[in-house]
Amino acid sequence: MKNQQFVLAARPEGLPEEKHFRLEDLAIPAAGSGQVVVKTLYLSVDPYMRGRMNDRKSYSPPFPLDKPIAGGAIGQVTESLTETYRPGDIVSGFWGWQRFAAVDAGQVRRIEAGGAPLSAYLGVLGMTGLTAYFGLLDIGKPQPGETVVVSGAAGAVGLVVGQIAKLKGCRVVGIAGSEDKIRYLTEELGFDAALNYKRPDLPAALQEACPNGVDVYFDNVGGTVSDAVLALINPGARIPLCGQISLYNNGKPDVGPRIQPLLLTNTALLQGFLVGQYADRSAEGMEALAKWLAEGKLRYRENIIEGFENTPQAFIGLFHGDNTGKQLVKVADPV
Amino acid sequence: MKNQQFVLAARPEGLPEEKHFRLEDLAIPAAGSGQVVVKTLYLSVDPYMRGRMNDRKSYSPPFPLDKPIAGGAIGQVTESLTETYRPGDIVSGFWGWQRFAAVDAGQVRRIEAGGAPLSAYLGVLGMTGLTAYFGLLDIGKPQPGETVVVSGAAGAVGLVVGQIAKLKGCRVVGIAGSEDKIRYLTEELGFDAALNYKRPDLPAALQEACPNGVDVYFDNVGGTVSDAVLALINPGARIPLCGQISLYNNGKPDVGPRIQPLLLTNTALLQGFLVGQYADRSAEGMEALAKWLAEGKLRYRENIIEGFENTPQAFIGLFHGDNTGKQLVKVADPV
């Protein structure tokens, strides 16, 4: 058994590439007081992590150079200096891109053996599912009969947003980046319509798909896709602002039509949020998501790349539209 | 006694000019059932009215061509077909730019003879005061020690916003368009700092005036002024979106840096609002504003132009920075 980690070797200026990451060997850590050592089983790679690779002020501090990149993960405890966890326990948490990591016990959460596969606890029953749940319901407040548009609709967050909006009785229109994704959204997930953002007539197609305007726009993408959606918002529209993946790799601030006049004349609300703001309500969200999942009302896909050594590649793929649903790296099987 | 009205003669493409308005003679109307006839004493001219001169979707329908322009007004009842009002009563409401108008009784509110001058009921104790009160407190939610920036700070809404924020224990920075206004804000109203938006180093000056960043930005102006403020927002910032006067006269959508990335990384809230949304709480707002006024904690200025025939000129002046405080037209004295 040996340990390995990926560190941030250089800050990307635009799209991240393999050269920005460096694989290093290191010793397996020992647990400190109140810590567990986890063997990583799955790593979550998510678009927001690109922001932390810049040396700019944001909601999370920048990743330091030459230190391991950190993200959501699932692991199995191999050593414990706590009362709470024993070797063999499966936990989810947030730690470095490492095969083995020492983590404070307060930073992990036990996963009980149960209905859903382990990987779901990084997706539909994890950060991305909760992001969809709280952003849509707490900020978007969709009402029956309203029109909900979601961008990045075939991503881990977007596909949950659309399905919850359907459960709430809304007309749901997804925007995604391939014909395969479009078909998945309409034929398998029950979206009322889905549009490829690459089509040149997106604004007109969107208007046709939203004959009653847009009441809720769950934005994962930003840029010109958002320009097209915002042109259609109704009075009192709500816009949960979850991501801006189209802009994450821009070195300079992007320029576009100012949105304040549209937001003003429609008395609209736009709210940037983080799932962490809802930490004290995560049990509520988990319960609802697990119930819908068990009832077959919530479906999902995962895109799982095998092998720790492929972690940077999995992350890079997020910005090339490679994934439908949650992008994960499978590092090891539990014992 | 004769009646006159100003109608919208043509839709302005950019800045409004005298040629867009036409003065017409007409008969003094008779009250219909449930109506009063009012003799106009004061007319309110407000920046938002420019939006209604365009033939575009907005929160209020466009003013029709060749019909009287309508806005806030104070008048004295000359005829009443209601139980509620008698000739001689003073009322505020919303009617045409007319010397005499017939108005539904439900659309007016009695002004009791009292401490404040009549004109205050179109300003600090009227629509603009309530706009400041609800937008700042309900959306901005300023906390003691926070930094509040207000644009259009020497306008009718802005000067009330800044003073309420001071009463709430905030550091208050105003942005306005002349050295006279700057002095008024800092020397007479107690703003901690005030900046002329015309200075070329506005972003740097603003940063210096807000050493702890910006927690609340009450936006009346939009455009490049807002770009400079938004660059300084803190995590959790709140942005009541009240007006966009810098853009009202643009024929085409204005272009600027996209604001969503800043709002996302700071988990900020931006909310367009209308004072009408708070109609059921107007008594609360009026009471608070009247109390502060009586205690000398709230001060204001008015810019009163005499004569009905000068109404278009008063309106046009709003877009040339002519007014400090509320811009009004005095049409007649009460009898």
Side-chain angles (χ1 to χ4, degrees), chain A residues 33-192:
Chain A
S33 172
Q35 286 192 322
V36 292
V37 171
V38 288
K39 179 183 178 185
T40 302
L41 305 178
Y42 288 96
L43 288 173
S44 175
V45 292
D46 297 279
Y48 80 88
M49 301 170 80
R50 174 65 186 82
R52 298 191 65 186
M53 294 175 186
N54 296 327
D55 192 11
R56 276 205 293 263
K57 179 184 154 194
S58 185
Y59 42 71
S60 305
F63 290 129
L65 281 175
D66 302 319
K67 300 284 181 187
I69 289 158
I74 286 173
Q76 189 163 29
V77 174
T78 59
E79 185 196 354
S80 173
L81 288 187
T82 77
E83 303 274 302
T84 318
Y85 298 104
R86 293 186 196 180
D89 287 353
I90 308 284
V91 296
S92 68
F94 194 90
W95 59 79
W97 286 2
Q98 296 175 304
R99 289 183 185 273
F100 292 88
V103 191
D104 290 342
Q107 301 297 311
V108 301
R109 172 195 297 256
R110 185 188 310 275
I111 296 178
E112 305 290 352
L118 275 188
S119 56
Y121 292 88
L122 288 177
V124 65
L125 296 179
M127 188 191 75
T128 50
L130 292 171
T131 298
Y133 180 89
F134 289 113
L136 179 66
L137 298 182
D138 207 67
I139 300 171
K141 296 186 169 66
Q143 304 302 312
E146 287 192 328
T147 298
V148 175
V149 174
V150 54
S151 60
V157 174
L159 64 82
V160 178
V161 167
Q163 291 179 88
I164 298 178
K166 283 304 298 177
L167 289 168
K168 296 295 174 184
C170 299
R171 174 174 178 81
V172 176
V173 178
I175 304 175
S178 76
E179 294 309 308
D180 273 357
K181 292 177 180 176
I182 297 302
R183 269 193 303 276
Y184 174 61
L185 296 173
T186 52
E187 294 175 13
E188 294 191 42
L189 300 188
F191 281 46
D192 296 287

Side-chain angles (χ1 to χ4, degrees), chain A residues 12-33:
Chain A
E13 301 271 315
L15 284 167
E17 299 171 44
E18 300 265 358
K19 69 180 180 191
H20 299 114
F21 307 92
R22 187 173 64 241
L23 185 62
E24 293 181 345
D25 293 335
L26 72 164
I28 295 175
S33 172

Side-chain angles (χ1 to χ4, degrees), chain B residues 23-212:
Chain B
L23 185 62
E24 293 182 344
D25 292 334
L26 74 164
I28 295 175
S33 172
Q35 285 192 320
V36 292
V37 172
V38 287
K39 179 183 179 185
T40 301
L41 305 179
Y42 287 95
L43 287 173
S44 174
V45 292
D46 296 279
Y48 79 88
M49 301 170 80
R50 174 64 185 84
R52 298 191 64 184
M53 294 175 186
N54 297 327
D55 193 10
R56 277 205 294 263
K57 178 186 154 194
S58 184
Y59 42 72
S60 305
F63 290 128
L65 281 175
D66 302 321
K67 299 284 182 187
I69 289 158
I74 287 173
Q76 188 164 30
V77 174
T78 60
E79 185 195 353
S80 173
L81 287 187
T82 77
E83 304 274 302
T84 318
Y85 297 103
R86 292 187 195 180
D89 286 352
I90 308 284
V91 296
S92 68
F94 193 90
W95 59 79
W97 285 2
Q98 295 176 304
R99 290 184 184 273
F100 292 87
V103 191
D104 289 342
Q107 301 298 311
V108 301
R109 173 195 298 258
R110 186 190 310 275
I111 296 177
E112 305 290 352
L118 273 189
S119 57
Y121 292 88
L122 287 178
V124 65
L125 296 179
M127 187 191 74
T128 50
L130 292 170
T131 298
Y133 180 88
F134 289 112
L136 179 66
L137 297 182
D138 206 67
I139 301 171
K141 296 186 169 64
Q143 305 300 312
E146 287 192 328
T147 298
V148 174
V149 174
V150 52
S151 61
V157 173
L159 65 82
V160 177
V161 167
Q163 291 180 87
I164 298 177
K166 283 304 297 175
L167 289 169
K168 297 294 175 183
C170 299
R171 174 173 177 81
V172 175
V173 177
I175 304 175
S178 76
E179 295 309 309
D180 272 357
K181 292 176 181 177
I182 299 300
R183 269 194 302 277
Y184 173 62
L185 296 173
T186 52
E187 294 176 13
E188 294 191 44
L189 299 188
F191 281 46
D192 296 286
L195 300 171
N196 190 328
Y197 73 82
K198 294 171 184 165
R199 57 193 286 177
D201 64 340
L202 179 67
L206 200 55
Q207 190 160 23
E208 195 176 332
C210 303
N212 299 317

Side-chain angles (χ1 to χ4, degrees), chain A residues 57-59 223 227 233 241-244 247 254-258 260-261 263-272 274, chain B residues 57-59 223 227 233 241-244 247 254-258 260-261 263-272 274:
Chain A
K57 179 184 154 194
S58 185
Y59 42 71
D227 296 340
I233 57 172
L241 187 59
C242 179
Q244 295 279 285
L247 307 178
D254 198 48
V255 167
R258 292 187 192 279
Q260 289 100 318
L263 298 174
L264 176 61
T265 54
N266 289 293
T267 58
L269 175 146
L270 188 150
Q271 167 88 65
L274 283 177
Chain B
K57 178 186 154 194
S58 184
Y59 42 72
D227 297 339
I233 58 170
L241 187 58
C242 179
Q244 294 280 286
L247 306 178
D254 199 47
V255 167
R258 292 189 192 277
Q260 289 99 320
L263 297 174
L264 176 60
T265 54
N266 289 293
T267 59
L269 175 146
L270 188 150
Q271 166 89 64
L274 283 178

Side-chain angles (χ1 to χ4, degrees), chain B residues 271-326:
Chain B
Q271 166 89 64
F273 75 101
L274 283 178
V275 67
Q277 296 172 286
Y278 296 96
D280 60 346
R281 290 174 56 194
S282 63
E284 167 202 332
M286 286 285 283
E287 194 175 330
L289 292 162
K291 181 166 174 289
W292 286 324
L293 199 62
E295 293 171 352
K297 292 177 177 167
L298 184 58
R299 308 173 72 174
Y300 66 98
R301 268 199 203 170
E302 293 166 336
N303 205 45
I304 300 183
I305 291 186
E306 299 263 345
F308 180 73
E309 64 279 9
N310 295 318
T311 306
Q313 180 195 327
F315 175 71
I316 291 165
L318 293 170
F319 303 99
H320 298 276
D322 291 357
N323 59 306
T324 296
K326 179 68 189 171

